[in-house]
Amino acid sequence: MASQLTATDVARLSEIFDIYADTQDTDGTRYMSPAAFAKATSPPVLDTSAFFAVADTEARGMLTKDDFVRFQTMLRAPDAAAKLVFCASDSQPAPLRALVGSDPAARNYLKDRPKISYAEFAQLIDASRSERMRHAFAAADEQKMGTIRTDQLLEIARMFVPLEPAGPIAQRLSLLSESPDSTLIGYPTFLALISLLSDPGKIRRAVDGMQLPKDELQIPQSLLTTSSVPLSALEVGILFTLASGQRAAESTSLESINSTIDACYAALQPVPQFEHKPQPRTNLMELMLQAYNFAVGAVAGGIGAAVVYPIDLVKTRMQNQRAAVVGEMLYKNSIDCFRKVVRNEGILGLYRGLGPQLVGVAPEKAIKLTVNDFVRARLTNKQTGAITLPGELLAGAMAGASQVVFTNPLEIVKIRLQIQGEMLKEATGSAKAVSRGSAITIIKELGLLGLYKGASACLLRDVPFSAIYFTCYSHLKKDVFHEDRRQLGVIDLLLAGAAAGMPAAYLTTPADVIKTRLQVVAKQGETVYTGLMDAARKIYKEEGFKAFFKGGPARIFRSSPQFGATLMCYELIHRMVPFPGEAHESPREHSAMQSRELSSQTALFHAGNALRLLHDSGYKFGALPSASK
């Protein structure tokens, strides 16, 4: 029986014991009194103090930690209810006689025996339960047709299993009727329903034992009937009907089945759970966490920028072309631009302006990622861990707005360095014959205010970009790559980041074109723009609507892999080098935690049944007492 608890479970129960233990020996050994035991194990409507004697195997009047863990292990056994009652009654037949109902053979068997074995007692209790179920159904079957109405089904079922009258399971019981036009439930369906709901853990074990294909969204009934945990065909059919909300459903989703299991447990009054709540961070620790996120974002951003910088240079050169006639264009397309840069300026020409980019991209990506995480954390529901779509968009938008303080100076210096080669070539006929200005020279020429030229266009680009990007990235991980079921790998993260960058990059290309035109020094004879609206009007008038999407493909090819690489590195660094106290919890670990919580709820279910066996001679198997008792 001890094997049912993992080392993690034992450690968790040990912590609960340490919280509630109220007595200490001279040698430092801690104990739990009956009152402390009741606090540690009793939900609001159940008083489990009657089981203290069962837990106190040495009759000390106090429990050791080993006693407490041993008792909790017993509670998680499938036969816990019967076992608890048997131990509490000290195997004496007299107090057990009232539990076997009106079965004369069982009562006669218990009449003159001083003691009985647990196996005998469990068998008699099981028979008694079946007899009570038969009597309850027969009393409601007024027409003697082996059927009862759906409203009667709910009333009788609540005598044997916990059901919330307004819960999802109770609301769907009518779907179990013999036909859509009927309100009658047959006796076999009644028996299968009680059997199914009597032990929610059995459903969980059956689901866990399925050989579920990867990324399978709909589960057929046949998959569950072949599970290692036996569920009858009728039980499986009832489960699928209750889970899907459709009569005679042949398939349903794993999420729907899990929701049905949760509904079974929701009918129980929850046990006060000991949660591993992290200690509130001090202001210093909060500052250190944000600094850590900033540093990780800087490293990840630098890697992403370096990977795609040649594409970014091509994108800038293409967007800065102003001729509408093909013969007057320096570059025919992005590929032609790439070739000419390499031919005229060499391989290093593809990395013109990379230095300032790396210097600037560190704080830019760092603040964007940090602000997005910070705002999302504040807008996320602490109980459910969910965030609304408007919340996701707001977090991304705020991240995009915050980065402009770094992005605009970086962009204007980078763009002027990137087009320097073609400007010098036009002036001298040779890109290598003339010296080039440095980033420092450009900064001095622009001045502080000049570094923020085109900032309005930068905001117009970065705010919607980040709002679209981070929202798409989150939903791709959750809905496409199923982050909640498994830990995403490097390729998953890279693809999610890259795919999210495509719509974000292309839809914000018009703002990027306007920003580029405002930040570039116009050549002789070229149109000069005085502001955001002026640039938009003149570009449309002189070059047409298509000009707003110049460099769009190059922008996608640059932004998608850049953000894919950046977010991949950002998450992997967080995973490999977590901030103290913020260790990454994998879906596998989360699933294990959920299993432990279900185990605790199972313990409550068994304890409630055991109490009724002890205190109610008309034992209603599974029914919860009213809160007033």
Side-chain angles (χ1 to χ4, degrees):
M1 187 178 294
S3 62
Q4 293 177 10
L5 291 186
T6 65
T8 304
D9 293 324
V10 173
R12 179 171 174 271
L13 291 171
S14 296
E15 291 181 79
I16 297 176
F17 178 87
D18 291 337
I19 289 176
Y20 289 98
D22 56 352
T23 306
Q24 185 167 320
D25 207 346
T26 54
D27 62 357
T29 303
R30 304 189 69 192
Y31 295 92
M32 185 179 281
S33 68
F37 172 79
K39 289 180 181 179
T41 59
S42 297
V45 299
L46 296 180
D47 179 9
T48 58
S49 59
F51 299 133
F52 181 83
V54 177
D56 185 14
T57 55
E58 301 296 327
R60 302 186 196 88
M62 294 183 295
L63 299 184
T64 64
K65 184 177 293 186
D66 288 341
D67 292 333
F68 182 73
V69 172
R70 192 181 302 111
F71 174 76
Q72 291 290 335
T73 303
M74 180 189 294
L75 276 181
R76 283 153 176 78
D79 61 343
K83 190 75 171 180
L84 282 172
V85 174
F86 184 76
C87 293
S89 63
D90 195 25
S91 70
Q92 298 295 322
L96 304 178
R97 197 172 295 122
L99 300 176
V100 298
S102 59
D103 184 351
R107 298 180 70 85
N108 289 335
Y109 183 79
L110 293 172
K111 184 171 57 176
D112 298 322
R113 279 177 170 74
K115 287 191 175 184
I116 62 172
S117 68
Y118 168 67
E120 292 173 318
F121 171 73
Q123 191 64 49
L124 290 174
I125 286 295
D126 186 63
S128 174
R129 184 174 189 266
S130 299
E131 180 189 9
R132 291 174 188 272
M133 288 170 55
R134 287 194 297 271
H135 287 172
F137 188 92
D141 181 15
E142 299 171 354
Q143 302 299 321
K144 306 306 177 185
M145 298 290 292
T147 59
I148 57 175
R149 299 189 309 274
T150 52
D151 60 318
Q152 292 174 312
L153 174 63
L154 176 59
E155 181 181 351
I156 298 173
R158 294 189 68 210
M159 296 170 58
F160 299 94
V161 294
L163 269 178
E164 291 182 331
I169 294 179
Q171 297 298 313
R172 293 176 176 177
L173 289 180
S174 60
L175 298 174
L176 302 178
S177 61
E178 295 179 332
S179 69
D181 300 327
S182 172
T183 61
L184 298 179
I185 305 292
Y187 184 56
T189 300
F190 165 75
L191 293 176
L193 176 69
I194 300 303
S195 175
L196 182 71
L197 301 184
S198 292
D199 185 6
K202 181 173 67 173
I203 309 175
R204 167 63 60 198
R205 294 191 297 274
V207 171
D208 291 343
M210 290 189 304
Q211 297 298 319
L212 188 64
K214 184 179 180 182
D215 298 331
E216 181 70 42
L217 298 181
Q218 288 291 313
I219 302 172
Q221 284 195 26
S222 59
L223 199 60
L224 200 57
T225 54
T226 58
S227 172
S228 58
V229 178
L231 288 177
S232 71
L234 189 52
E235 288 175 347
V236 172
I238 291 173
L239 173 61
F240 275 59
T241 295
L242 296 177
S244 66
Q246 299 177 358
R247 185 184 301 274
E250 292 295 330
S251 64
T252 190
S253 67
L254 179 61
E255 181 180 1
S256 297
I257 293 178
N258 287 333
S259 296
T260 302
I261 298 173
D262 292 341
C264 292
Y265 285 117
L268 300 167
Q269 295 294 329
V271 174
Q273 297 294 326
F274 173 73
E275 299 178 359
H276 293 277
K277 293 182 178 179
Q279 293 295 324
R281 283 190 293 267
T282 63
N283 292 336
L284 177 60
M285 287 298 291
E286 183 67 32
L287 181 62
M288 291 177 65
L289 173 62
Q290 301 311 322
Y292 162 79
N293 287 335
F294 195 90
V296 173
V299 173
I303 295 172
V307 168
V308 300
Y309 191 79
I311 303 175
D312 186 56
L313 181 136
V314 171
K315 183 268 302 182
T316 301
R317 296 280 181 95
M318 289 297 298
Q319 288 183 340
N320 192 48
Q321 283 198 122
R322 309 199 185 192
V325 181
V326 175
E328 300 176 5
M329 291 184 179
L330 183 58
Y331 311 116
K332 297 178 182 179
N333 50 49
S334 296
I335 296 176
D336 182 58
C337 177
F338 181 87
R339 290 172 177 169
K340 288 181 177 178
V341 170
V342 174
R343 182 174 67 244
N344 297 329
E345 305 173 49
I347 293 295
L348 292 180
L350 293 171
Y351 292 91
R352 188 74 57 195
L354 178 60
Q357 173 79 343
L358 291 179
V359 172
V361 81
E364 174 212 335
K365 291 295 185 290
I367 196 169
K368 173 188 283 191
L369 294 167
T370 301
V371 170
N372 179 69
D373 283 353
F374 180 82
V375 177
R376 281 183 71 94
R378 268 64 189 169
L379 297 178
T380 296
N381 187 296
K382 299 299 186 293
Q383 279 70 43
T384 65
I387 182 172
T388 63
L389 180 60
E392 291 183 296
L393 292 171
L394 177 60
M398 293 182 69
S402 67
Q403 78 177 71
V404 173
V405 66
F406 295 105
T407 304
N408 211 81
L410 165 69
E411 290 279 322
I412 196 167
V413 173
K414 179 197 70 174
I415 286 172
R416 296 200 176 189
L417 286 171
Q418 286 178 336
I419 66 168
Q420 212 172 58
E422 65 183 38
M423 294 179 67
L424 291 172
K425 180 171 172 43
E426 290 176 0
T428 65
S430 174
K432 299 181 180 178
V434 180
S435 60
R436 305 172 183 276
S438 66
I440 300 299
T441 303
I442 294 174
I443 292 173
K444 288 180 178 179
E445 289 176 357
L446 290 170
L448 181 61
L449 293 178
L451 288 173
Y452 286 93
K453 184 178 181 181
S456 56
C458 205
L459 279 169
L460 188 62
R461 179 197 66 178
D462 290 343
V463 169
F465 179 95
S466 294
I468 296 170
Y469 179 80
F470 285 113
T471 302
C472 288
Y473 178 68
S474 174
H475 283 272
L476 281 169
K477 289 197 302 176
K478 181 177 65 175
D479 301 329
V480 176
F481 294 97
H482 304 296
E483 183 182 34
D484 55 336
R485 300 184 191 176
R486 60 191 180 91
Q487 180 169 289
L488 301 188
V490 173
I491 300 301
D492 297 319
L493 294 172
L494 186 62
L495 289 176
M502 292 179 183
Y506 195 74
L507 293 175
T508 55
T509 298
D512 195 48
V513 171
I514 294 172
K515 177 193 70 65
T516 299
R517 298 291 181 88
L518 289 172
Q519 292 179 336
V520 170
V521 177
K523 303 171 189 175
Q524 186 175 1
E526 289 184 336
T527 303
V528 177
Y529 307 111
T530 59
L532 187 68
M533 297 305 297
D534 179 64
R537 282 194 299 267
K538 289 178 178 178
I539 291 172
Y540 179 74
K541 181 179 180 181
E542 297 173 5
E543 304 173 55
F545 183 75
K546 289 184 178 179
F548 288 110
F549 290 91
K550 281 184 176 180
R555 181 166 161 76
I556 290 176
F557 283 120
R558 189 267 293 176
S559 295
S560 291
Q562 178 183 1
F563 276 89
T566 298
L567 268 294
M568 177 195 70
C569 293
Y570 185 72
E571 296 215 23
L572 289 180
I573 294 173
H574 270 283
R575 191 182 297 174
M576 293 184 293
V577 190
F579 184 77
E582 301 289 330
H584 176 79
E585 181 187 80
S586 68
R588 185 184 301 274
E589 292 167 339
H590 180 68
S591 177
M593 182 187 70
Q594 286 185 317
S595 296
R596 290 194 295 272
E597 293 306 315
L598 288 176
S599 178
S600 296
Q601 290 172 310
T602 302
L604 167 63
F605 181 67
H606 293 153
N609 280 348
L611 282 173
R612 283 158 199 78
L613 278 168
L614 281 174
H615 300 304
D616 185 2
S617 60
Y619 173 42
K620 296 179 179 181
F621 293 79
L624 290 172
S626 64
S628 61
K629 286 188 179 181

